[in-house]
Amino acid sequence: MRDDSALRIRLFDADRTDTLLTLEEALRLTPSERQLVWFDIEGPLSADDHAAIRRRFELDDATDRALAGERDERSGASPEVGLHGRYFHVRLVAAPDPQRRDVTWLDLVGGPNVVISRHAEPLPLLEAIDERIAADATIGELDAPEFVASVLDAVVTSYLAAVDGIEDEVDLIDAKALGRERFDDLFGELIDVRRRVGRLRRLLARHRELFAILGRREFAHAAAAADPDSLQTVSARFETALSSVEETRDLVLGSFEVLMTRTAQRTNDVMRILTVATVLALPATIVAGFLGMNVTTPLPDKAGWPFWAIVIGIVTLEAVIVLFARWRRWI
């Protein structure tokens, strides 16, 4: 869909193939009930273009600033949804990347047979929507709320994709923990994953009220949605995404338990080896203690064979201890 320009406009017509329009053509057009015009704005536009769009659709100051990108870096930016006369405005985070702290805000404005989307960075989900519907002539029959609902559904899918990516990382960490002899570095990886899960959960929790409002029938009625169920379905999917994040947090805690269990197991293995080593040293220690006493021993002290007999006896006893420990699977 996108080329080097910051603004791309597509006309969906239920009676003919969709076409690309210039801004002048789009502003002069009055779409019919079987047409839908999609303005997609990526990055900054010229002041004249924004002024023309604002005058054509009678946008208020807050919506115009959002489409101009002035609110992307605003401190304390938060998801928003509002009705403004003949159009409604939805602002939310799209395609969150758990690896990044910054997010990409997506503004959606829906009016009579017109949808405006604005984002500062490329959004693959919008590219996918455009590729999927480019040859679908029935899109022209959709009204603005239904089209916005399809975009919101793709946004919720991006939330689920972010959760799936984190779950894949957790599974990989579990596999490493079960297959390695040393896994101390995995604690740092798991802590980082836990931090990102918390950041994603907080991000989605901020959208709970927005999707709750979108799921209400009175909002669909005020937005003149032909199919109110489309927005309610998206709201239900969002709750599924939020629940998935909660489950992922529990999954991370389970991975911590796996690592702690493996650590305890390794500690037990070390203690078992040290115990066997201590037992092996006991015979030699005891014999050396007896022979070192200042008393007369029954062994001749001038011959050399008693020394070797003692060494062979100690080695034999230690070999018996090792074999017994192996038989009992202590080592």
Side-chain angles (χ1 to χ4, degrees):
M1 173 180 175
R2 183 151 304 282
D3 56 17
D4 294 335
S5 63
L7 175 64
R8 194 68 175 259
I9 307 171
R10 186 181 293 277
L11 170 65
F12 299 103
D13 195 320
D15 299 318
R16 56 179 60 89
T17 304
D18 67 295
T19 57
L20 295 178
L21 303 177
T22 64
L23 179 60
E24 292 74 15
E25 292 172 337
L27 294 179
R28 289 196 306 265
L29 178 67
T30 301
S32 68
E33 293 300 321
R34 294 178 61 81
Q35 293 178 328
L36 178 70
V37 183
W38 179 17
F39 294 74
D40 186 43
I41 305 171
E42 179 185 310
L45 280 180
S46 67
D48 292 340
D49 288 346
H50 273 291
I53 292 175
R54 174 176 183 171
R55 288 193 302 269
R56 173 63 177 81
F57 299 108
E58 300 177 357
L59 304 179
D60 64 2
D61 292 339
T63 304
D64 185 64
R65 287 196 300 270
L67 294 183
E70 297 178 6
R71 304 173 66 189
D72 286 344
E73 303 300 329
R74 180 170 61 87
S75 177
S78 61
E80 301 174 12
V81 57
L83 292 165
H84 307 275
R86 300 181 63 200
Y87 72 89
F88 63 93
H89 177 205
V90 179
R91 178 177 174 82
L92 75 168
V93 173
D97 185 354
Q99 300 283 358
R100 297 171 50 185
R101 290 185 175 273
D102 57 326
V103 295
T104 301
W105 290 95
L106 172 63
D107 287 279
L108 297 169
V109 177
N113 301 101
V114 174
V115 172
I116 304 175
S117 59
R118 194 273 168 188
H119 44 100
E121 300 177 4
L123 284 178
L125 64 91
L126 293 181
E127 302 289 342
I129 290 175
D130 183 72
E131 293 175 3
R132 185 173 67 251
I133 66 180
D136 189 354
T138 62
I139 295 300
E141 299 178 356
L142 296 181
D143 59 8
E146 290 175 310
F147 187 84
V148 169
S150 67
V151 176
L152 293 176
D153 187 71
V155 171
V156 173
T157 300
S158 73
Y159 296 162
L160 292 170
V163 174
D164 291 341
I166 292 177
E167 289 181 350
D168 291 341
E169 289 188 57
V170 174
D171 290 340
L172 181 60
I173 291 175
D174 286 345
K176 292 179 180 179
L178 295 174
R180 287 184 183 180
E181 290 297 326
R182 299 193 61 84
F183 41 82
D184 297 338
D185 58 318
L186 296 183
F187 280 100
E189 294 183 26
L190 200 55
I191 290 173
D192 181 64
V193 170
R194 175 65 180 84
R195 186 180 298 111
R196 285 186 277 121
V197 170
R199 188 161 57 241
L200 181 60
R201 186 195 66 81
R202 290 190 297 272
L203 177 65
L204 296 192
R206 293 168 58 192
H207 289 72
R208 176 176 284 155
E209 183 178 0
L210 179 147
F211 281 94
I213 294 174
L214 292 175
R216 296 172 184 165
R217 284 196 171 271
E218 54 266 30
F219 178 87
H221 176 73
D227 182 13
D229 292 337
S230 60
L231 291 172
Q232 291 181 337
T233 301
V234 173
S235 178
R237 285 200 71 210
F238 170 77
E239 291 299 328
T240 300
L242 193 57
S243 299
S244 298
V245 175
E246 298 289 349
E247 294 172 1
T248 302
R249 184 169 60 172
D250 294 338
L251 186 65
V252 173
L253 295 178
S255 295
F256 270 113
E257 293 180 0
V258 170
L259 286 178
M260 294 304 298
T261 300
R262 289 284 287 133
T263 300
Q265 180 185 12
R266 189 177 68 177
T267 301
N268 290 338
D269 293 340
V270 172
M271 293 304 298
R272 190 161 52 238
I273 293 174
L274 291 177
T275 300
V276 172
T278 302
V279 172
L280 291 177
L282 281 176
T285 302
I286 294 175
V287 171
F290 275 114
L291 295 181
M293 291 188 300
N294 191 20
V295 296
T296 302
T297 62
L299 297 175
D301 56 357
K302 300 299 184 181
W305 66 265
F307 170 78
W308 295 111
I310 293 172
V311 171
I312 293 174
I314 292 175
V315 172
T316 301
L317 180 59
E318 292 184 348
V320 171
I321 294 174
V322 171
L323 292 175
F324 180 77
R326 294 283 292 180
W327 176 64
R328 293 300 301 269
R329 298 184 183 275
W330 292 343
I331 58 175

